[in-house]
């Protein structure tokens, strides 16, 4: 069954701690994306990767880091430098967007205590 | 860079009425305009899209129109049903990103269909 899997679904973190959100896809998509969703703010792009071992900053990359060592995996680390990390995080993947759609994972809700 | 404005931010209609959500974009080179629906607690899913060489596209009760001259596109839902209640996002794919592909999303419209 093909798709995108994000884990964990819910995560609690103390201030000052780094946390890593997992994103795995078995759709054989080249491109992967991380979005942050806050109420009334829409979907804001954090990082994206169009090929293994390469990634680019999105609009709100400060305080986040990513890696793309494998085609199927694109983990996101929320570092202690991110000033307001409590949010809903969505991972997505696609073939060329000019020819195909963006597929989203179920999301991970991060709460900083 | 591309900027997508979406209106209204909330929309409430009676079951059976039509609903219209409008988006404007700034980059005249944008060439792909999808609409995503996100039900409460679920992932966004593509419901319809349109490319810049087409003015209108329909899929059952859903239609999207594109006006390239005015740089705006709209989602039309007819005969609304309670299951249409969700947040709807429009997006645009800029044509001038130097090979990078990243959608720019509007801020979303929360549609409520009252029985």
């Amino acid at each position: 069954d093909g798709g995108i899997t994000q884990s964990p679904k819910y995560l609690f973190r103390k201030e000052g701690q780094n946390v890593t959100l997992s994103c795995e896809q078995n759709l054989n998509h080249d491109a992967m994306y991380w979005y942050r969703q806050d109420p009334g703010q829409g979907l804001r792009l954090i990082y994206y990767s169009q090929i293994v071992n390469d990634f680019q900053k999105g609009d709100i990359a400060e305080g986040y880091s990513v890696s793309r060592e494998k085609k199927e995996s694109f983990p996101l680390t929320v570092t202690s430098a991110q000033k307001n990390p409590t949010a809903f995080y969505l991972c997505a993947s696609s073939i060329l967007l000019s020819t195909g759609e963006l597929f989203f994972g179920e999301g991970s809700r991060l709460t900083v205590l | 860079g591309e900027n997508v404005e979406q209106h209204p931010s909330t929309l409430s209609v009676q079951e059976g009425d039509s609903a219209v959500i409008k988006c404007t974009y700034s980059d005249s080179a944008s060439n792909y305009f999808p609409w995503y629906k996100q039900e409460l607690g679920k992932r966004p899913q593509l419901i319809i899209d349109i490319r810049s060489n087409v003015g209108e596209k329909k899929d059952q009760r859903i239609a999207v129109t594109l006006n390239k001259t005015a740089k705006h596109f709209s989602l039309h839902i007819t005969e609304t049903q309670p299951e249409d209640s969700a947040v709807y996002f429009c997006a645009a794919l800029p044509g001038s990103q130097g090979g990078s592909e990243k959608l720019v999303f509007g801020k979303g419209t929360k549609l409520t269909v009252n029985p």
Side-chain angles (χ1 to χ4, degrees), chain A residues 4 33 35 37 40-43 45 48 50 57 59 88 90 95-102 104-106, chain B residues 31-32 36 38 41-46 49 51 87 89 93 97 99-108:
Chain A
I4 299 182
Y33 307 80
Y35 289 91
Q37 186 173 20
Q41 294 294 316
L43 301 170
L45 184 64
Y48 65 106
Q50 295 191 231
K57 292 182 179 180
D59 301 316
F88 188 58
L90 284 162
I95 53 173
L96 282 177
L97 282 174
S98 53
T99 58
E101 70 181 90
L102 198 60
F104 285 90
E106 297 269 1
Chain B
N31 52 31
Y32 173 60
Y36 284 81
Q38 186 179 27
K42 296 190 176 180
R43 70 184 85 191
Q45 291 189 298
L46 179 73
D49 57 12
R51 302 189 184 275
V87 177
F89 293 99
L93 182 66
Q97 293 188 106
S100 295
E101 289 209 328
K102 46 178 181 171
L103 287 172
V104 178
F105 284 89
K107 291 188 176 182

Side-chain angles (χ1 to χ4, degrees), chain A residues 49-67:
Chain A
S49 167
Q50 295 191 231
I51 195 169
V52 174
N53 292 322
D54 188 42
F55 48 83
Q56 287 80 41
K57 292 182 179 180
D59 301 316
I60 55 166
E62 185 176 352
Y64 299 97
S65 66
V66 293
S67 63

